[in-house]
Amino acid sequence: MLEFLQQLGIADPFGKGPISVLLTFLVAWFLTQRFMPRVREFAIKVGWADMPNERRLNKEPLPNAGGLAIFGGFIASIVVAWALRPILIEHLQVQVLAILLGGALLAFTGFIDDQFELPPLFRMVVQLVAAALLVVNGLHIDLGVVPWFQNLLGDSIGIWNIIITLGWIIGITNAVNLMDGVDGVAGGIGFIASMVLIAVSAQSPDRAAAVIILAGLAGAVLGYLRYNFNPSQIIMGDTGAYLIGYTLAAVALLGTLPESQNPSLIAPFLFLALPILDTTQVFIGRIRKGKNPLKPDKTHLHHRLLQRTGSARTTSVIIWGITLTLNVIGMIAQGISPLVIAITVLVIAGALGWVAYRRVRALKKDKERTLN
C-alpha cells in the first residue's frame, strides 16, 4: 500500500503534507457547500441576481453571488492549511500571498460588476493590476529557459517575459469567465483543471504550495457545483469565474520559478486548452464578421452544444468530457504515469458524477413534495 501511494507522488502518506492537502480540500468543500444556501437566501432578499435575457437560460431572477461562497470556502481552507503546515520558503510565502490578494481583488471587482455592471476598461485595469501584483513579486513566465527565445530576443527578453505573463493571467481569467454560460460548465472546467494540476504538481516536491492552493480551489468549486448543476439554484457570476481563472493561471506560474524542476507552461496550456481555444475562436469569428470582439454573443462552444442537444445537463457533461480528455493528453505529454492518470480520472469522474446525482435527486424530492 505504501509503495502504491508513493507511485501517486505521496512520498510520506502519514506526514503533514498529504494530511494538510486532504484537509484543505475537505474544509473548502464542506464550508462552500454549507455557505451556498445561506448566500443564496441572502442574495434573493437583497436582489443580487441575474435577470432573464436572450443570452441567459434562467426564466426568472437567478442569484449570482455563488462566487462569494466559493471565495469564503477557498480562503478559509488556505488559512487552515497554512496553520497546519506553514510555508517556510520566504519568497514562496510572498508569492502565495500575492496570489490570494490578487484573487481577492478580482473577486471583489467581479462582485461589483455582477451587481452594477462596471465599464469594461475599468475591469481590464483591475485585471492588469492583479496580474502586475504577481510580476512584481517574482511570479512570471521565463522565456529564457528556452535557448531559442534567449537568442532571438536578447536583452529585451525581460520585457517580453512581463508582457507575456500579463497576457497569460488576463487571458485565462477572462477565458474562464466567458465559459460561464451554461449551468455547471465553468465550475466543471475549474474543478477538472484544479484536480489534474494537483496530480501533476504532486509529482514534484517543489510544488507543495501549488498543491495546497489547488486543493482549496478544487474543494470550493466542488461544493459550489452541488447547487449549480442544471437547473442551478445559484451561479458564481464574475466573482467566482475571475477567482477560478486567475488562481489557475497564477498557480501555473509557481512552476516557472528558477527552483522548479520543470519550468514550463506547456502543460498548463493543455490543461486550460478548452477555454483558451474557445475564447480565441469566438474572438476571431466576431472580427471576421466585422463585429466588436468584446460584445457578447452566443457563439461559444457551450452555446452551440446547447442548441444541438437542447439540454443544459447534456451540454455540461459533454464539455466536462472534452475538458477531461484534453487534460489527460496534457498529463501524457508531461510523462505522468498511467496509474496516476487513471486514479485522477476516476476521482474526477466520481466527484462530478456524485454532485450531479445529488442535484438531480434533490430536484426529484422537491417535485415530490410539491405534488404531495
Side-chain angles (χ1 to χ4, degrees):
M1 182 64 179
L2 181 60
E3 183 179 350
F4 173 76
L5 293 175
Q6 289 175 340
Q7 289 178 348
L8 297 179
I10 306 174
D12 183 9
F14 304 104
K16 275 190 175 182
I19 292 175
S20 61
V21 171
L22 180 61
L23 191 59
T24 301
F25 177 87
L26 293 176
V27 168
W29 169 72
F30 176 78
L31 291 181
T32 304
Q33 191 163 261
R34 294 301 297 265
F35 289 160
M36 203 63 66
R38 292 164 177 77
V39 170
R40 180 180 183 275
E41 183 179 353
F42 184 78
I44 291 174
K45 287 182 180 179
V46 299
W48 294 344
D50 276 4
M51 304 305 293
N53 62 32
E54 66 278 1
R55 294 188 64 251
R56 294 179 177 139
L57 301 180
N58 52 303
K59 304 302 180 184
E60 57 186 31
L62 182 64
N64 60 10
L68 292 179
I70 295 174
F71 178 75
F74 171 61
I75 293 296
S77 70
I78 299 301
V79 171
V80 170
W82 207 312
L84 284 175
R85 194 187 187 201
I87 299 173
L88 300 178
I89 304 174
E90 185 176 348
H91 72 266
L92 276 182
Q93 287 182 344
V94 173
Q95 287 158 353
V96 170
L97 288 173
I99 292 173
L100 298 180
L101 179 59
L105 175 62
L106 285 182
F108 177 74
T109 302
F111 175 74
I112 299 300
D113 183 47
D114 286 332
Q115 313 313 324
F116 303 106
E117 295 188 8
L118 294 171
L121 180 60
F122 181 84
R123 298 198 304 267
M124 185 61 67
V125 169
V126 175
Q127 291 172 16
L128 183 61
V129 170
L133 182 64
L134 301 179
V135 174
V136 298
N137 284 288
L139 274 169
H140 60 79
I141 295 169
D142 185 9
L143 297 176
V145 298
V146 180
W148 184 84
F149 280 121
Q150 182 69 62
N151 296 331
L152 176 66
L153 300 176
D155 294 338
S156 66
I157 194 168
I159 297 175
W160 281 105
N161 286 341
I162 294 173
I163 293 173
I164 293 177
T165 300
L166 296 177
W168 167 263
I169 297 293
I170 294 172
I172 296 298
T173 299
N174 285 287
V176 172
N177 185 41
L178 291 173
M179 292 297 292
D180 190 26
V182 174
D183 296 340
V185 168
I189 290 173
F191 177 73
I192 292 169
S194 297
M195 292 297 291
V196 169
L197 283 169
I198 287 174
V200 172
S201 299
Q203 310 307 307
S204 302
D206 61 321
R207 302 296 308 278
V211 172
I212 288 293
I213 296 174
L214 290 165
L217 184 65
V221 175
L222 187 65
Y224 160 76
L225 282 171
R226 164 67 177 79
Y227 298 92
N228 183 246
F229 191 67
N230 185 264
S232 64
Q233 295 179 304
I234 191 170
I235 57 177
M236 68 172 72
D238 289 354
T239 311
Y242 282 170
L243 176 65
I244 293 171
Y246 178 82
T247 303
L248 288 174
V251 169
L253 297 181
L254 286 174
T256 67
L257 299 176
E259 295 81 0
S260 179
Q261 296 177 355
N262 186 23
S264 170
L265 275 178
I266 295 176
F269 179 86
L270 290 171
F271 300 145
L272 298 167
L274 185 59
I276 293 172
L277 295 176
D278 179 65
T279 301
T280 302
Q281 68 88 17
V282 167
F283 273 43
I284 292 175
R286 291 172 184 170
I287 292 172
R288 284 180 175 176
K289 295 177 181 177
K291 297 181 179 179
N292 182 351
L294 299 177
K295 187 176 181 179
D297 58 22
K298 303 185 79 170
T299 59
H300 286 280
L301 175 62
H302 50 268
H303 291 132
R304 295 177 178 179
L305 281 174
L306 182 60
Q307 290 177 350
R308 292 197 173 205
T309 65
S311 168
R313 291 182 188 174
T314 302
T315 297
S316 60
V317 171
I318 290 174
I319 291 180
W320 291 353
I322 295 173
T323 302
L324 187 54
T325 299
L326 291 171
N327 276 257
V328 168
I329 294 172
M331 295 178 81
I332 294 172
Q334 278 289 102
I336 305 300
S337 72
L339 176 62
V340 172
I341 294 175
I343 296 296
T344 304
V345 169
L346 287 174
V347 170
I348 291 173
L352 290 176
W354 174 244
V355 296
Y357 166 75
R358 290 193 64 192
R359 179 73 189 105
V360 172
R361 186 179 67 173
L363 183 64
K364 288 182 179 179
K365 287 184 177 180
D366 289 341
K367 287 183 177 179
E368 290 175 359
R369 292 193 193 101
T370 301
L371 292 175
N372 293 333

